[in-house]
Amino acid sequence: HGCYRRPIRGRLARVLVDDNNRVHKGDVLVQLDKEPFEDAVAVKKAGVDTAAADLQATLATVRGDEAQARSLSWQLRNAIEDVDNKVASLHARVAALDKSKATLKLAQVEFARAEQLLPQATVSREQYDQRQAALSVAQAEVIQAESDVHQIRVSLGLPAQPDSGDLNEVPPDLDQTFSSVRQAQAALIQAAALLGVSHSYEQLPKEMLKQFESQDQGDVDRTLAGFTDNAPAVKQAKAKLEAAKRDLVQAE
């Protein structure tokens, strides 16, 4: 009578009553050998310790993934800024080229005038030489300025001389489509996936960074730390630890 208890199978160590003996409630009738049960508990405790160690190792790995994602987010931002800076530099160099061309045009006019007046002795030979030197310098500056413009255009993956002739011509979304930007975005997408965060490759890099940084009031460190508990590997390791603890309780 009384509450139901699950029967426990085990090896008998002692039998404390004989057949037909009178017994009372609470009397010990038999003793089971404790060793197999103690061994089972020890095994389950070891299982808990192993699962706990695995969880700590997984957390360390995920924190490494967080650090990698943090680094890659900065790399993506820097890649975008690098393109923007190069485009701004291109516009500045085109402006410098235009200024050099204007200086060259003036030097050509002044030299042509000196060339006409030299036979009449209206200008001195020294003035003529000065204007010829100024023309040579202006020509060299134009050549160098054109080289600078062509070089930066090529570094942006653009033709050195566009068909339109407008050296300022740059695709408006170049900082979103440039190869280094896309490579940095792809690396960040892969790192974020390890933290349980999915991003589409169709999403523009700036949109991705904005979404990434909009969480936790834009604090990237807090955002990344918050991903730890949701990382698939961490969830799995925690589930294994909980299962191991339940097994230990059952064994005990």
Side-chain angles (χ1 to χ4, degrees):
H1 298 288
C3 65
Y4 171 76
R5 293 180 181 274
R6 184 175 64 84
I8 298 177
R9 298 180 183 275
R11 185 173 62 226
L12 289 178
R14 295 175 61 197
V15 178
L16 303 177
V17 296
D18 293 325
D19 290 343
N20 300 318
N21 279 6
R22 182 180 295 277
V23 297
H24 301 88
K25 182 179 180 181
D27 288 350
V28 177
L29 307 181
V30 297
Q31 290 180 344
L32 298 180
D33 186 357
K34 294 188 296 182
E35 185 176 350
F37 299 104
E38 290 173 342
D39 289 346
V41 169
V43 169
K44 298 304 180 181
K45 282 182 177 177
V48 170
D49 292 342
T50 300
D54 287 345
L55 175 58
Q56 292 306 310
T58 301
L59 286 170
T61 299
V62 170
R63 290 190 184 106
D65 294 337
E66 290 173 9
Q68 177 73 356
R70 182 184 299 108
S71 173
L72 291 171
S73 71
W74 287 114
Q75 285 184 31
L76 176 55
R77 177 170 293 283
N78 289 339
I80 293 172
E81 290 178 352
D82 182 59
V83 173
D84 289 339
N85 290 338
K86 283 184 176 180
V87 171
S89 179
L90 171 63
H91 295 327
R93 292 186 183 188
V94 171
L97 173 60
D98 290 341
K99 181 180 178 181
S100 295
K101 286 181 177 179
T103 300
L104 173 59
K105 188 174 182 179
L106 177 60
Q108 288 171 331
V109 171
E110 290 182 340
F111 175 72
R113 184 180 179 191
E115 198 173 31
Q116 289 177 352
L117 297 176
L118 182 62
Q120 304 170 19
T122 306
V123 296
S124 66
R125 184 71 192 186
E126 182 181 1
Q127 289 175 317
Y128 173 85
D129 291 342
Q130 288 175 348
R131 290 178 183 178
Q132 187 177 44
L135 176 59
S136 297
V137 170
Q139 288 172 333
E141 287 180 348
V142 168
I143 292 172
Q144 182 60 54
E146 285 180 335
S147 177
D148 291 343
V149 169
H150 293 163
Q151 182 178 9
I152 196 168
R153 284 187 62 83
V154 171
S155 73
L156 286 168
L158 303 172
Q161 189 67 45
D163 294 338
S164 66
D166 182 4
L167 292 171
N168 273 315
E169 185 180 276
V170 175
D173 60 348
L174 185 61
D175 62 353
Q176 301 297 286
T177 61
F178 193 59
S179 59
S180 63
V181 174
R182 283 302 192 182
Q183 288 169 5
Q185 182 188 22
L188 179 56
I189 288 174
Q190 293 174 9
L194 296 175
L195 300 173
V197 181
S198 314
H199 291 284
S200 169
Y201 282 92
E202 296 179 358
Q203 189 176 27
L204 291 176
K206 281 185 178 178
E207 292 176 354
M208 181 177 171
L209 279 177
K210 184 177 180 181
Q211 176 186 343
F212 191 74
E213 295 172 354
S214 66
Q215 304 179 67
D216 286 332
Q217 295 77 49
D219 188 322
V220 176
D221 289 339
R222 268 195 306 176
T223 297
L224 288 169
F227 290 155
T228 302
D229 289 339
N230 293 320
V234 171
K235 285 184 175 181
Q236 186 177 15
K238 285 184 174 180
K240 287 183 177 179
L241 177 58
E242 291 305 312
K245 286 180 178 179
R246 288 193 297 269
D247 289 345
L248 174 59
V249 170
Q250 184 62 46
E252 288 172 337

